[in-house]
Amino acid sequence: MGVFSAPKIDFGKSSELKKGSEKWNLLRDEVFKALEEYGCFEALLDGEIPKVKLYEKLKEVFNFNLEKIFGNTQSVLVGYDRYKPKAPLQERLVIPNVLNDGVIENFSKNLWPDGESEFSDLVLTYSKKLSEFDDLVKRMVFEKLGLEKYLDEHKKSGDYLLAMIKYRAPKAGETNVGIPPHTDNIISTILSQHDQDGLQILDKNGQWLDVQFSTPNSYVFLVSDCLKAFTNGRLNCLIHRVIIGNEERYSVGFPLIPKEGYIIKVPEELVDENHPLLYKPFDGSKLLPFYMAEGRRGVSATLEDFCGVSTNNPNLS
């Protein structure tokens, strides 16, 4: 098994970056090149993000009887689920709209009815810092593509979600696939992990390569389907999966989920003789239900199946 050499980009002291400066331009170009070619990069962020402490707290949280507290939902965007047929090693606890007022505190009360502030503080700080980083990446991408006038509208297109994930080690004879191969049917996501590697990407030659996080302050930024469509395919979107070794694995996903009714449409600036229109306008919130419905029929659907210009899908808007 090979190792994926994801571009490694240092965002240390990013708060001091000034738009238009030489450092900004160099970092912007590095970010865009990575997303254009690979669809992802490894970001080295500063130590202000309480990643280590959050993971320590997650181990405590996953010792609760979460199914009794939250139930076992069939939704992938809210609540708690575990050991589903396509992800039999996975437990997942999701906080939707994580940065909306009162959401984290209300969620925490389910776990600690008598009150507990550490978890709420860690989740809030972690989420705020990653949302600021996500905003920085989008500003750089939109500037590079000449789409700055669309940035404010894009910021209103989705809500952040925090997905806290635990994988148990597979038993003898069980699959070691934590999450099967897929692209993310959202806008973008930022992944972190604790202790155990496991994230893999499928390269152009059809080989699975390990993604290795080089430092404790590493995160992986991934382009997802909706951002690929919005950029008319200028940004890549990788097929990836998770493989579990002999020990339990913890990870945290911080995706941007498209809001219902928000229409994703390729800007006219990205369509010309060399770049024909690839995707029809679509409601981003309908992409995930489409994939799930196709999956129940045994079909592995793609973004092109949903909104490619050659498709005739009645559910685009």
Side-chain angles (χ1 to χ4, degrees):
M1 183 67 67
V3 175
F4 175 58
S5 299
K8 184 164 54 177
I9 303 178
D10 189 351
F11 286 84
K13 299 183 179 179
S14 61
S15 60
E16 300 176 8
L17 275 175
K18 292 185 178 180
K19 183 180 176 182
S21 67
E22 182 180 4
K23 185 175 181 181
W24 170 278
N25 292 338
L26 288 172
L27 197 62
R28 177 203 63 197
D29 292 351
E30 197 175 357
V31 165
F32 184 80
K33 182 179 180 182
L35 298 183
E36 183 181 41
E37 184 172 353
Y38 298 101
C40 70
F41 61 83
E42 178 187 356
L44 308 183
L45 304 182
D46 59 43
E48 294 181 6
I49 303 174
K51 178 180 173 182
V52 173
K53 289 184 177 179
L54 177 61
Y55 275 99
E56 290 173 354
K57 200 67 179 177
L58 286 192
K59 292 182 179 181
E60 177 184 340
V61 168
F62 276 102
N63 280 326
F64 282 84
N65 187 338
L66 297 176
E67 188 166 12
K68 181 178 179 181
I69 296 172
F70 295 101
N72 195 340
T73 178
Q74 294 302 307
S75 171
V76 298
L77 300 179
V78 62
Y80 171 76
D81 63 61
R82 67 173 183 173
Y83 310 150
K84 291 186 173 181
K86 289 189 176 181
L89 306 178
Q90 183 193 78
E91 279 187 88
R92 183 176 53 180
L93 188 58
V94 173
I95 308 178
N97 306 311
V98 65
L99 288 175
N100 289 9
D101 289 344
V103 166
I104 297 172
E105 291 78 5
N106 290 336
F107 183 90
S108 181
K109 287 178 182 177
N110 290 297
L111 299 169
W112 295 278
D114 296 330
E116 201 276 359
S117 62
E118 183 184 15
F119 175 79
S120 296
D121 292 343
L122 289 171
V123 168
L124 179 60
T125 303
Y126 185 92
S127 300
K128 278 187 172 180
K129 291 290 184 181
L130 288 194
S131 71
E132 292 167 2
F133 168 63
D134 181 72
D135 180 66
L136 174 62
V137 171
K138 303 291 176 53
R139 280 189 283 139
M140 289 180 166
V141 167
F142 278 56
E143 179 183 313
K144 186 67 177 178
L145 288 171
L147 302 177
E148 291 175 281
K149 70 179 184 181
Y150 298 98
L151 188 55
D152 287 341
E153 181 184 355
H154 175 78
K155 289 179 180 179
K156 301 173 185 176
S157 67
D159 290 304
Y160 291 109
L161 172 155
L162 190 76
M164 299 163 282
I165 303 169
K166 176 185 177 182
Y167 299 92
R168 63 175 178 82
K171 300 175 182 177
E174 277 191 312
T175 179
N176 67 342
V177 178
I179 299 180
H182 66 286
T183 58
D184 293 327
N185 31 66
I186 50 175
I187 299 172
S188 59
T189 194
I190 302 167
L191 299 175
S192 68
Q193 64 181 21
H194 182 63
D195 292 340
Q196 299 296 316
D197 290 330
L199 180 63
Q200 294 184 338
I201 66 98
L202 187 66
D203 72 3
K204 296 176 182 178
N205 299 316
Q207 292 185 320
W208 286 106
L209 302 178
D210 292 319
V211 178
Q212 295 184 341
F213 290 61
S214 60
T215 77
N217 291 327
S218 289
Y219 302 77
V220 171
F221 181 97
L222 282 165
V223 172
S224 299
D225 288 331
C226 293
L227 188 56
K228 177 184 178 181
F230 175 77
T231 61
N232 202 31
R234 301 288 181 91
L235 301 187
N236 197 5
C237 185
L238 288 171
I239 296 174
H240 53 285
R241 69 179 183 181
V242 174
I243 297 297
I244 307 302
N246 297 321
E247 298 180 32
E248 62 186 23
R249 177 183 186 266
Y250 291 86
S251 68
V252 175
F254 189 72
L256 184 61
I257 308 297
K259 289 181 179 177
E260 184 177 358
Y262 179 80
I263 303 301
I264 294 172
K265 181 180 180 181
V266 175
E268 59 183 14
E269 291 89 339
L270 297 185
V271 181
D272 55 36
E273 291 183 1
N274 297 320
H275 303 92
L277 180 67
L278 298 179
Y279 304 104
K280 303 172 187 177
F282 64 96
D283 182 337
S285 69
K286 293 186 177 181
L287 182 56
L288 175 57
F290 170 78
Y291 279 178
M292 295 181 70
E294 292 296 279
R296 286 191 291 269
R297 297 197 304 119
V299 176
S300 181
T302 66
L303 178 65
E304 286 69 27
D305 295 327
F306 180 69
C307 61
V309 294
S310 61
T311 61
N312 184 23
N313 190 322
N315 299 311
L316 289 179
S317 61

